[in-house]
Amino acid sequence: MSYIDGFVAAVPTAKKQDYIAFCKLMGQVMKDCGAQQVVDCWGDDVPEGKVTSFPMAVKAEKDETVCFGWVIWPDKATRDAGMEQMMKDPRCAPDQNPMPFDGMRMIFGGFEPLSGL
């Protein structure tokens, strides 16, 4: 069964082009490590909530845009092996490819799909 990684991050709006370049490179790395599909999205209609919301979850500031993405893997075993491979890939080294956002405020997780695939 497929396995999904999802993430949400607050990206400085002025760094949109840097984020696009980062996503293209990381998407290729993930595919090289076994991912079937990588989708990255730039927030367009992401309202602030009263109790909880995407902006609140990543502590987005006024000059940041909330970004959302997901990765589809063939199964959890491929994802686990792919993530281990990514950690060793020099293209993922922070000094070679720094994140254009505060990674400490990114939320992420792995999910078993229940429907839709």
Side-chain angles (χ1 to χ4, degrees), residues 67-86:
C67 296
F68 173 71
W70 64 91
V71 182
I72 301 175
W73 301 90
D75 51 50
K76 188 172 189 304
T78 302
R79 180 266 202 164
D80 291 347
M83 287 297 202
E84 186 174 325
Q85 186 179 347
M86 284 178 54

Side-chain angles (χ1 to χ4, degrees), residues 69-109:
W70 64 91
V71 182
I72 301 175
W73 301 90
D75 51 50
K76 188 172 189 304
T78 302
R79 180 266 202 164
D80 291 347
M83 287 297 202
E84 186 174 325
Q85 186 179 347
M86 284 178 54
M87 294 301 117
K88 297 175 185 173
D89 192 307
R91 296 174 291 177
C92 295
D95 60 329
Q96 297 295 314
N97 187 24
M99 288 188 273
F101 57 90
D102 180 359
M104 296 297 290
R105 291 186 287 140
M106 180 172 74
I107 58 174
F108 56 90

Side-chain angles (χ1 to χ4, degrees), residues 30-75:
M30 289 180 201
K31 286 186 175 183
D32 291 347
C33 293
Q36 294 176 314
Q37 184 180 20
V38 180
V39 178
D40 296 292
C41 305
W42 188 259
D44 178 57
D45 182 15
V46 187
E48 182 77 34
K50 291 182 180 177
V51 176
T52 189
S53 66
F54 281 121
M56 292 169 71
V58 294
K59 299 183 180 179
E61 298 177 8
K62 291 184 190 273
D63 63 343
E64 294 178 321
T65 298
V66 174
C67 296
F68 173 71
W70 64 91
V71 182
I72 301 175
W73 301 90
D75 51 50

